Amino acid sequence: MPVLDYLWIIPLLPLLGAAINGIFGARWPKSATSAVALSSTTLVFLAALEGVREFLMLPANQIPWTKTYFTWISAGGFQSDFALSVDQLTVVMLLVVTGVGWLIHIYSTGYMHDDPGYRRFFAYLNLFMFFMLILILAANYLLMFVGWEGVGLCSYLLIGFFFLKQSATNAGNKAFWVNRIGDFGFILGLLLMFRTFGSLNFSTVLPRAAAMTADPAGQIGTLTAIALLLFVGAAGKSAQIPLYVWLPDAMEGPTPVSALIHAATMVTAGVYMLVRSHAIFLNAPAAMQAVGVIGCATALFAATIGLVQTDIKKVLAYSTVSQLGYMFLACGVGAFGAGIFHLMTHAFFKGLLFLAAGSVIHAMGGEQDMRKMGGLRQKIPVTFWTMFMATLAIAGAPGFSGFFSKDEILNEAQRVSPVLWGLGVLTAGLTAFYMFRLLFLTFFGKQRYDEHHVHVHESPKNMTVPLIVLAILSVCGGWMAAPQLVGGINHFQQFLAPVLSTGTEPATTAAESTGGNEILQALTGAPVIAGLIGFLLAWWLYIKSPGTPKKIAASFSALYKLLSGKYFIDELYLAVIVRPLVWISDKILWHVVDEGAIDGAVNGVAHVSSEAGDRLRRASTGNIRSYATWIVLGVVVFTSLLLWMVD
């Protein structure tokens, strides 16, 4: 049975897993829950592999492969089908979501083993996989939006998984409301898109957008308005300035959630949506500029905050925001393929970093403060070496996956804007510094924990095997671009070229357009040098002279307080937005509108009715002579009125 003919099977499998565990799992042992969750994700990964194999055998004239199953909505001139589609971009996302998702499910069976919410956790995780697959397989924007909202729901449920903790429920609510702001922009963009193109199907909208005349630079035409509204949605989901504030707080959820949803898959949905909509953005230069500037600013801004964080997961959270900024920078300078390339490599090394951090936390009995760790590399060697590989990858060490994808982004940025390139290189140096700072504080130096209270031990195999697999991918995940270093072809760019072509001329790889990059130039380029400086600075401060960071913090106390306080953006939002809205809701909407106007009107009508009824009740005396008098009086009044009207 060809998988491509039955694409609905791919999202259906995790949905069944979620339903079975959610409905029936309460009566089962944890082993049965694990079997259902892992079976569904294993089967969906195998189905995705088979689907990709079949896709690669298709002739070019059958790509994208689209299957329409039924008409979902039909109203007036609007029609939206339940249709799924596969092209080269979908293939990359499909393999990342199902492959990394499968590994994280395996890891979770060890990490969450003793949690009382084990069944609920896997039901939520499977449900997330379903919605994420709907998002990337959708053949139109409306069905994509269903997956978009679905992953937002699952993110809310998983962030607030430990719902007895007030901080977890607050974080879940924060993620929900911030994402609603972005989603409002996305909805408006879809409405304007339908008004402009008469459809929300990719096959209709994107070719027409590509054929339209580009909006003049600096002006907001129809395409620019659509692109900016879509960008608002993407900024909410992918945590860009000013809607990034939910993602650091999302670390309140279990660590596997941080790895799957807030590093490898969900937060990259905004990048995927922008790349899918590249034909619109290419004809909207003002929107492209906004995407590039916001992306670069987010990358640098989050990296500076990550320099001083002490919670191991918070460092990785701000690192995620920063790396997402790189992906938006790529889209803003027109390097959509490089953005997806970094999305893929980031899924490998950042997923690994979060899982390795979870392994450290597991070994430390729940401790997340790096200041209370130290000297762990001999006690948990598998965790150390895999995290070391991921750190080299994110720092852009030559030969590792991040080296290829990050350099490609910065090369394209240099072509468009030297300023964006310079800030991107600076961010690369900061990234290397805070990541090696994390590594040195956690695994090197003297032991800063009490062995009588903490029994440090390596994680079980169901946690370490996924680490090893992701470490291998973190090393070799970018090698498809390696031939470009010697003037050859970037195979990843070549694979995506049919999707990212504007339709007017064939896309070329970076190597073909520049004549290729020499290996020596790549190894001695500014990003590598910046990363090396960051590494050496971290080594000097946290290995060679570990007392120096406290002296620097004391000397620059105001700056240190600003960075450790995360620029006090949350406090600013609380003072300027949250508290005024709460005050308006409490004092005006509740007491004045609800109690005063609505309740007052309802209670007033009830009071008048009660008073009128009471007076009528008093007229019912039970005296026959009184009733007769009222009847005679009524007859006289009625007769008089009748005679008056006749006259």
Side-chain angles (χ1 to χ4, degrees):
M1 181 180 68
V3 172
L4 290 181
D5 287 334
Y6 300 92
L7 281 174
W8 53 269
I9 290 177
I10 294 178
L12 178 66
L13 288 169
L15 179 62
L16 287 176
I20 293 171
N21 272 332
I23 297 172
F24 305 108
R27 303 176 182 177
W28 295 345
K30 289 182 177 179
S31 58
T33 298
S34 301
V36 171
L38 292 182
S39 295
S40 65
T41 51
T42 302
L43 289 173
V44 75
F45 181 50
L46 293 175
L49 289 175
E50 173 59 21
V52 171
R53 187 192 68 81
E54 295 172 10
F55 173 83
L56 295 176
M57 297 175 65
L58 290 175
N61 60 359
Q62 293 185 22
I63 299 174
W65 178 269
T66 303
K67 297 291 290 186
T68 301
Y69 297 100
F70 56 86
T71 298
W72 174 30
I73 298 175
S74 181
F78 175 75
Q79 178 173 315
S80 182
D81 298 325
F82 183 86
L84 304 179
S85 180
V86 178
D87 60 12
Q88 289 84 351
L89 178 58
T90 310
V91 164
V92 175
M93 294 297 297
L94 192 60
L95 292 178
V96 168
V97 171
T98 59
V100 176
W102 176 57
L103 292 173
I104 292 174
H105 273 75
I106 296 173
Y107 176 94
S108 300
T109 60
Y111 190 86
M112 300 296 293
H113 185 267
D114 297 325
D115 194 278
Y118 192 81
R119 172 185 63 90
R120 180 166 54 92
F121 176 81
F122 278 102
Y124 290 166
L125 216 58
N126 276 182
L127 186 63
F128 166 79
M129 289 280 287
F130 162 73
F131 281 119
M132 191 67 198
L133 289 169
I134 288 292
L135 191 157
I136 62 177
L137 287 170
N140 58 71
Y141 281 100
L142 193 60
L143 188 58
M144 175 194 277
F145 189 71
V146 172
W148 186 275
E149 290 296 286
V151 296
L153 167 66
C154 294
S155 177
Y156 165 76
L157 294 173
L158 287 164
I159 293 170
F161 180 78
F162 301 120
F163 55 84
L164 295 179
K165 288 175 58 180
Q166 186 63 46
S167 58
T169 57
N170 289 343
N173 290 332
K174 187 176 185 179
F176 181 85
W177 284 111
V178 173
N179 273 275
R180 295 293 72 72
I181 296 171
D183 295 349
F184 181 66
F186 194 1
I187 292 172
L188 292 179
L190 297 187
L191 293 174
L192 184 55
M193 185 186 297
F194 175 71
R195 181 181 178 184
T196 304
F197 301 105
S199 175
L200 294 179
N201 295 330
F202 298 147
S203 59
T204 301
V205 172
L206 300 180
R208 291 183 183 177
M212 291 178 66
T213 302
D215 291 339
Q219 296 185 21
I220 300 180
T222 301
L223 288 178
T224 302
I226 294 173
L228 288 174
L229 289 170
L230 294 180
F231 175 50
V232 171
K237 192 69 71 185
S238 295
Q240 298 296 288
I241 292 174
L243 302 179
Y244 74 93
V245 291
W246 67 270
L247 196 147
D249 288 9
M251 299 303 107
E252 289 289 341
T255 300
V257 173
S258 303
L260 178 62
I261 295 182
H262 305 124
T265 54
M266 190 200 85
V267 293
T268 60
V271 180
Y272 168 74
M273 187 263 284
L274 290 190
V275 176
R276 176 63 70 190
S277 309
H278 70 282
I280 298 173
F281 281 85
L282 286 173
N283 284 333
M288 290 275 285
Q289 186 176 21
V291 172
V293 170
I294 293 294
C296 185
T298 301
L300 180 59
F301 177 82
T304 59
I305 296 176
L307 295 174
V308 299
Q309 298 303 305
T310 56
D311 185 310
I312 189 170
K313 286 180 66 177
K314 283 294 179 70
V315 175
L316 297 179
Y318 281 104
S319 172
T320 299
V321 176
S322 182
Q323 296 303 307
L324 288 168
Y326 268 117
M327 299 175 207
F328 276 79
L329 171 61
C331 294
V333 299
F336 295 99
I340 290 295
F341 193 20
H342 198 57
L343 182 156
M344 181 186 73
T345 60
H346 178 263
F348 300 150
F349 59 69
K350 185 54 66 64
L352 173 56
L353 285 168
F354 269 110
L355 294 186
S359 183
V360 171
I361 295 167
H362 179 268
M364 292 291 297
E367 182 60 64
Q368 296 184 196
D369 191 335
M370 296 184 297
R371 295 171 298 183
K372 299 177 182 179
M373 298 179 186
L376 292 176
R377 72 181 187 278
Q378 301 297 335
K379 296 181 180 294
I380 47 176
V382 176
T383 300
F384 164 69
W385 283 109
T386 53
M387 198 169 198
F388 182 51
M389 296 296 103
T391 301
L392 289 173
I394 193 174
F400 288 78
S401 59
F403 165 75
F404 296 101
S405 57
K406 189 184 294 185
D407 271 26
E408 192 171 334
I409 292 173
L410 293 176
N411 286 338
E412 290 298 317
Q414 186 177 23
R415 179 180 58 82
V416 175
S417 169
V419 174
L420 294 180
W421 172 80
L423 294 177
V425 170
L426 174 61
T427 303
L430 297 178
T431 301
F433 175 80
Y434 68 66
M435 284 308 308
F436 279 103
R437 169 181 177 267
L438 180 152
L439 196 75
F440 294 148
L441 283 175
T442 303
F443 294 100
F444 291 81
K446 65 180 181 179
Q447 178 180 306
R448 297 185 297 277
Y449 57 89
D450 187 353
E451 283 191 293
H452 297 291
H453 295 89
V454 180
H455 174 59
V456 179
H457 58 285
E458 186 62 271
S459 299
K461 288 186 178 180
N462 54 352
M463 293 175 65
T464 56
V465 169
L467 297 183
I468 295 170
V469 174
L470 286 173
I472 294 171
L473 291 173
S474 296
V475 174
C476 63
W479 288 358
M480 287 180 288
Q484 183 176 336
L485 295 177
V486 291
I489 295 175
N490 183 327
H491 292 290
F492 188 86
Q493 290 279 21
Q494 186 183 48
F495 179 71
L496 286 181
V499 178
L500 300 181
S501 172
T502 61
T504 57
E505 58 183 1
T508 58
T509 65
E512 292 170 333
S513 60
T514 63
N517 295 316
E518 296 294 336
I519 294 179
L520 182 61
Q521 180 181 352
L523 296 180
T524 59
V528 174
I529 294 175
L532 180 61
I533 293 173
F535 160 74
L536 292 174
L537 188 59
W539 174 80
W540 177 265
L541 292 177
Y542 295 97
I543 300 295
K544 185 68 174 178
S545 181
T548 304
K550 288 185 179 180
K551 297 178 182 178
I552 295 176
S555 300
F556 299 92
S557 57
L559 179 60
Y560 180 81
K561 185 177 181 180
L562 182 66
L563 295 179
S564 61
K566 295 159 278 192
Y567 293 98
F568 302 102
I569 299 297
D570 284 309
E571 289 78 4
L572 177 64
Y573 283 0
L574 185 66
V576 175
I577 300 174
V578 178
R579 284 177 180 164
L581 286 176
V582 171
W583 185 88
I584 292 171
S585 299
D586 181 24
K587 303 299 182 183
I588 298 178
L589 297 180
W590 178 17
H591 292 299
V592 176
V593 178
D594 192 9
E595 291 184 338
I598 299 175
D599 286 354
V602 173
N603 294 335
V605 170
H607 179 72
V608 170
S609 299
S610 177
E611 287 293 322
D614 185 60
R615 292 180 182 276
L616 290 173
R617 180 181 59 80
R618 293 176 183 176
S620 301
T621 62
N623 190 312
I624 296 177
R625 285 179 296 178
S626 176
Y627 292 162
T629 301
W630 283 109
I631 291 172
V632 171
L633 180 61
V635 170
V636 171
V637 172
F638 179 75
T639 303
S640 300
L641 287 173
L642 186 63
L643 292 174
W644 178 75
M645 292 175 65
V646 171
D647 292 341

